[in-house]
Amino acid sequence: QVQLVESGGGLVQSGGSLRLSCAASGRTSSRVAMGWFRQAPGKEREFVAGISWSGGTTFYGDSVKGRFTISRDDVKNTMTLQMNALKPEDTAVYYCAAQVVTVRIVLVRARDYEYWGQGTQVTVSS
């Protein structure tokens, strides 16, 4: 089992920045691929960014590429999402996800993740 808790959401003006954190506990000694997803009202859950268990490989959704940066600290068992140049269309509930894996891969589909946090709201005003 892996437990995930997100923090760092809030209200920010367009063009601003926010930093989300995801604290992992439980089976953190395993090789765990992690990712961020978001879901806006009335829309499907969308892949934002993913990172391999070693942190050596990252992948981003097209809508956030160049603006968001994903990273992880396996000593502290945390993952972060630095979000810059935020736009109103970035408004959503952001979820942290994790999956125990056997190879260094980035998972981009929500259905590939077993463990999820409760979500944190990000609101970008225009």
Side-chain angles (χ1 to χ4, degrees):
Q1 292 283 342
V2 178
Q3 293 79 43
L4 304 171
V5 178
E6 303 97 336
S7 61
L11 173 65
V12 64
Q13 289 188 334
S14 181
S17 298
L18 277 176
R19 184 178 180 90
L20 303 183
S21 294
C22 174
S25 60
R27 196 177 168 185
T28 56
S29 61
S30 301
R31 297 174 178 179
V32 179
M34 302 187 74
W36 288 97
F37 289 77
R38 66 187 182 187
Q39 190 165 19
K43 295 188 177 181
E44 293 187 354
R45 192 162 294 193
E46 175 190 12
F47 171 77
V48 175
I51 189 166
S52 62
W53 67 265
S54 66
T57 302
T58 59
F59 191 75
Y60 297 89
D62 288 341
S63 62
V64 306
K65 204 171 296 182
R67 299 187 296 123
F68 290 11
T69 303
I70 188 172
S71 61
R72 65 189 291 169
D73 184 333
D74 288 335
V75 174
K76 298 180 179 179
N77 294 323
T78 58
M79 177 178 65
T80 61
L81 184 69
Q82 178 66 43
M83 306 186 294
N84 298 327
L86 283 161
K87 305 174 182 180
E89 50 264 43
D90 294 318
T91 295
V93 177
Y94 283 69
Y95 297 91
C96 168
Q99 176 61 39
V100 178
V101 296
T102 58
V103 295
R104 286 190 181 91
I105 58 172
V106 176
L107 302 174
V108 301
R109 301 181 302 184
R111 65 184 185 215
D112 289 332
Y113 287 92
E114 180 177 0
Y115 304 106
W116 292 85
Q118 82 288 351
T120 185
Q121 177 70 46
V122 171
T123 302
V124 184
S125 62
S126 57

